[in-house]
Every structure is written in structure tokens, then in C-alpha cells.
Amino acid sequence: MLETSSTAAIGLHGLVKSYGETPVIPGLDAELRGGEFTVILGPSGCGKSTLLNCIAGLERLSAGRITIGGREVQEEEPKNRRLAMVFQNYALYPHMTVAENIGYALKVAGVNKTERAARVAEAARVVELGDYLDRRPGQLSGGQRQRVAIARAVVREPQVLLYDEPLSNLDAKLRHDMRRELAELHRRIGATSVFVTHDQVEAMTLADRIMVLNKGRIEQFDTPEAIYHRPASTFVAGFIGSPAMNLVDVTGEGGVLRLADGTALAAHSHRGPAILGIRPELVVPAPDGLPVQITYREELGAHAVLTLRLPDGTALRMATALGQRGGLPTDLRVALPAAELHLFDPLTGKALASATPATQTKKAQHDHVPS
Ligand SMILES: Nc1ncnc2c1ncn2[C@@H]1O[C@H](COP(=O)(O)OP(=O)(O)OP(=O)(O)O)[C@@H](O)[C@H]1O
Ligand SMILES: [Mg+2]
């Protein structure tokens, strides 16, 4: 019933969107593969909703083209683009039942009553609301209402499903449950899905590929695994991961990366200034490492996050399972294993290709901080 054309790729070609003088999206090119779940991730105001609304046809492009399934759609009405959208504020009609809410668009489109009932029942089954068809929105929980909004989009059998922060009004447990249901729904119906969020956990768990947006530009568009392990810029490195990746100014010479005061921080072959990145969970205690002071500790149950002060005053965060109450000395020595280091260009913030962890040698992986 809910079979969709799962091959409707979305092409964004030289897409520009300005409101007045200011370009919110200054020129964006990307291919969203058919049948994939793409998450658009970025901070508030970076243009996520604007981009989604352009795909939906709710905003006119200032320049550029959009293709869906190879067909140019930028001049087409939203209703002719064979897509459906779930908004952040999923207003349901309070006086209509769940079934009437889900079926409303079909009714407007003139679908006959028998077919409508069958499609509504199927969509409700997909979001596990089959037993709630006669209820009104006021008699549902927030998560159930959210699922009505999703069913209302799905029932139209779109080639493309667009979601704008659809889970942001839910509590942590419901968000978790709904993430699982959305992933399952996607697996079943296979529509090309584009999901906007500023929540990195949603992005990491739902996406086939994540498009990280910063001021209307793509910082990186890749799998969650690549985004996490091979961030293309300091922006991506700092945006993904909790606590955020440490980013420290260093200078490399003679196989060593040093802080401004000359302190040797890590072994590395890079020469010249760079921004060194290391995830807090990959900073490790080492008897022969750098002496640091613990200036702050956050106990989070399973692990603790320590704020460390390096000899020159630079702060470094370390996530550790060793953080049981009283389990750590106030002074500690740590190492930054060479294999775990990321290096970025201090001017552009872009990853230095010659210095990604994957290119480190076996020997370097075993090097500790030289003195
Ligand atoms: N109709 C409009 N007129 C003028 N500026 C707008 C309009 N709509 C959005 N903007 C601006 O465009 C920028 C991007 O807005 P957009 O809503 O796309 O951000 P977003 O990434 O979805 O943010 P959020 O996470 O807060 O929803 C913002 O600076 C916003 O103020
Ligand atoms: Mg938005």
C-alpha cells in the first residue's frame, strides 16, 4: 500500500536563497541519494529550515535548480513535487479524529472513501496507532500526536519525506522511542527522507549521511562514522561529540607539536602552526605524560568529564571511566596518543589532509609525549 518510488534522488544545483540583501544559502551543491535518510545538521539560524522549505517548494529559490528523481521542480507547486513534510509544530485539527486527521489530505485530493479508509488504516498501522483511530488529538500523548503528524505525511505515499525537527517537543524517552520508530518506518517504506535537526544524537542515530551546515554552507556531507572519526573542519569537530573535541593551537617542529610556551604536547610529523584536535575520551592517563591539574570534574555516573589545565594554562577536557568519587588524584599525567590526533589549518579551519589519524604510522601510534 505504502510503496514508494525509493529512487527519487534530490539534486541541489547552485542553490541560492536570499532574504533581501543577505544570502542565507550562498550557493549550495549536493546530491541526496534516492531512498537514503539524509540528516541536515547545524546550529540555530544556519539555514536548515530554509533549505528544507526550498526543497518542499514553500520558498522560492533566488538562483539555482532542484531536481527530484531527475526532474526539475524549482518552478513547481509544492503539491506537484510528490513529497510530504512533517513540521516541527505539527498542528492537528482538534475537532477531527485521528483517522480524519490522517486522511484529510486524501479527502481534499478527492480520493474515494473506501480507498481512503484503507490507506489511513495502513498509515496508522505503520506508526502503530491502529487502535487510536477514533480518538481526538486531545486524548493522545505528545508522542502519539507526533505519530499522527507523521502518518498524515506518509499516507500520501510520497517519494520524498521531509521532516523539520519533528521530535524537538518530546521528552528524552519519547525522542528515543520515536527515533527508533522513524528508523523502522524508513526501513519499511524506503522513501527518500530529509530530516532537519540541531541534535547530534538524532543525526548520528538516524542518518545514512549527515549534511553539516554552517551559515548556509556545507561543512561536510558524509556518513555518521566519517563525520565523527574524520571531521573535515574544526566546525564539524567541535559540533559533533559530547563533550566536544578539544581544539588547541600548536606548532609542529622536529616531530613534536608544541604549545606557545614550548611545552611538548604530542609526537607528530607536522611542521608549522596548526590546530590540534583530540576527543576528550581519547586523552589517556600516562605515568610519563604531561603533568596537568584537574580544575573541574563533572561526575556523570558511568564516566566523568575532567577539565585539565596544561602547564601553559590551556584547558583540556578528558572523559574517563576512572572518575569514581575520590578515584583520581588532583594531579595527573596524561598523553595525547599520536594515532588519535586531528590537525586543522589555523587559517581555514579545514582538516590537514596529510595529518588525519588514518595516515599515522604504526610506530607513531605507540609514541608518547616526548619530553
Ligand atoms: N522570511 C525570512 N525573512 C528574513 N530572514 C529570514 C526569513 N526566514 C529565515 N530568515 C533568516 O534566515 C536564517 C536561516 O533561518 P532558518 O530558519 O533556515 O534557520 P534554521 O537553521 O532552521 O534555524 P533553527 O535551528 O533555529 O530552526 C536566519 O538567520 C533567519 O533569521
Ligand atoms: Mg529551523
Side-chain angles (χ1 to χ4, degrees), residues 58-131:
L58 302 174
E59 294 280 2
R60 273 192 74 83
L61 304 187
S62 305
R65 295 180 301 117
I66 296 177
T67 55
I68 297 179
R71 197 165 56 92
E72 285 204 10
V73 297
Q74 68 274 4
E75 298 302 331
E76 287 198 11
E77 291 292 310
K79 63 178 179 4
N80 296 332
R81 297 191 185 193
R82 295 214 57 195
L83 47 78
M85 187 156 170
V86 181
F87 296 94
Q88 177 174 344
N89 299 310
Y90 44 92
L92 302 177
Y93 299 109
H95 59 285
M96 291 185 192
T97 63
V98 166
E100 287 164 346
N101 266 286
I102 296 173
Y104 186 69
L106 300 181
K107 189 174 180 181
V108 170
V111 176
N112 73 53
K113 206 168 174 180
T114 315
E115 185 186 342
R116 213 160 70 214
R119 283 169 66 175
V120 167
E122 174 65 4
R125 189 192 63 75
V126 166
V127 297
E128 293 172 38
L129 281 177
D131 296 336

Side-chain angles (χ1 to χ4, degrees), residues 3-342:
E3 274 170 23
T4 50
S5 157
S6 61
T7 53
I10 302 173
L12 309 173
H13 310 278
L15 193 154
V16 178
K17 178 63 189 176
S18 307
Y19 296 108
E21 301 282 281
T22 10
V24 171
I25 300 172
L28 187 146
D29 292 276
E31 175 85 6
L32 282 56
R33 294 181 194 142
E36 272 198 1
F37 201 109
T38 299
V39 172
I40 301 176
L41 177 70
S44 182
C46 73
K48 305 180 296 295
S49 296
T50 302
L51 179 55
L52 201 70
N53 291 340
C54 287
I55 297 171
L58 302 174
E59 294 280 2
R60 273 192 74 83
L61 304 187
S62 305
R65 295 180 301 117
I66 296 177
T67 55
I68 297 179
R71 197 165 56 92
E72 285 204 10
V73 297
Q74 68 274 4
E75 298 302 331
E76 287 198 11
E77 291 292 310
K79 63 178 179 4
N80 296 332
R81 297 191 185 193
R82 295 214 57 195
L83 47 78
M85 187 156 170
V86 181
F87 296 94
Q88 177 174 344
N89 299 310
Y90 44 92
L92 302 177
Y93 299 109
H95 59 285
M96 291 185 192
T97 63
V98 166
E100 287 164 346
N101 266 286
I102 296 173
Y104 186 69
L106 300 181
K107 189 174 180 181
V108 170
V111 176
N112 73 53
K113 206 168 174 180
T114 315
E115 185 186 342
R116 213 160 70 214
R119 283 169 66 175
V120 167
E122 174 65 4
R125 189 192 63 75
V126 166
V127 297
E128 293 172 38
L129 281 177
D131 296 336
Y132 295 80
L133 286 171
D134 296 326
R135 298 244 192 132
R136 290 183 202 286
Q139 302 166 306
L140 299 175
S141 74
Q144 290 164 338
R145 275 180 234 169
Q146 184 71 66
R147 281 183 275 161
V148 175
I150 293 168
R152 197 171 56 173
V154 166
V155 78
R156 297 170 51 200
E157 304 181 8
Q159 300 182 49
V160 174
L161 266 169
L162 306 177
Y163 300 92
D164 194 352
E165 309 233 17
L167 309 184
S168 54
N169 295 337
L170 308 182
D171 69 36
K173 170 150 189 337
L174 258 178
R175 286 173 85 115
H176 182 266
D177 293 348
M178 284 300 298
R179 277 208 303 273
R180 206 182 45 219
E181 294 194 22
L182 282 178
E184 174 69 12
L185 180 76
H186 177 68
R187 208 178 51 73
R188 264 185 281 169
I189 71 174
T192 305
S193 300
V194 189
F195 184 104
V196 160
T197 185
H198 60 265
D199 181 327
Q200 54 166 307
V201 176
E202 275 173 26
M204 293 294 288
T205 53
L206 280 169
D208 290 314
R209 292 197 300 156
I210 301 174
M211 179 190 291
V212 182
L213 267 198
N214 177 22
K215 296 181 183 151
R217 295 176 198 276
I218 297 177
E219 289 273 339
Q220 192 168 0
F221 187 16
D222 212 330
T223 60
E225 193 267 339
I227 297 262
Y228 186 82
H229 291 290
R230 295 183 295 282
S233 65
T234 50
F235 181 87
V236 177
F239 198 77
I240 301 269
S242 177
M245 185 184 280
N246 292 294
L247 295 169
V248 182
D249 288 314
V250 294
T251 301
E253 57 175 279
V256 181
L257 298 173
R258 294 184 191 276
L259 295 168
D261 73 348
T263 305
L265 201 54
H268 202 285
S269 58
H270 177 77
R271 289 161 192 268
I275 297 171
L276 175 155
I278 183 158
R279 297 227 176 259
E281 57 272 29
L282 299 173
V283 175
V284 293
D288 58 346
L290 274 170
V292 292
Q293 272 189 313
I294 301 174
T295 57
Y296 188 59
R297 70 169 77 185
E298 295 156 272
E299 298 282 352
L300 299 170
H303 68 286
V305 178
L306 310 177
T307 304
L308 311 176
R309 188 163 46 213
L310 298 178
D312 79 332
T314 300
L316 193 71
R317 302 239 280 170
M318 172 179 182
T320 171
L322 303 173
Q324 292 95 349
R325 218 160 285 280
L328 276 177
T330 48
D331 298 313
L332 180 69
R333 283 173 177 268
V334 300
L336 315 186
E340 313 296 355
L341 304 184
H342 300 261

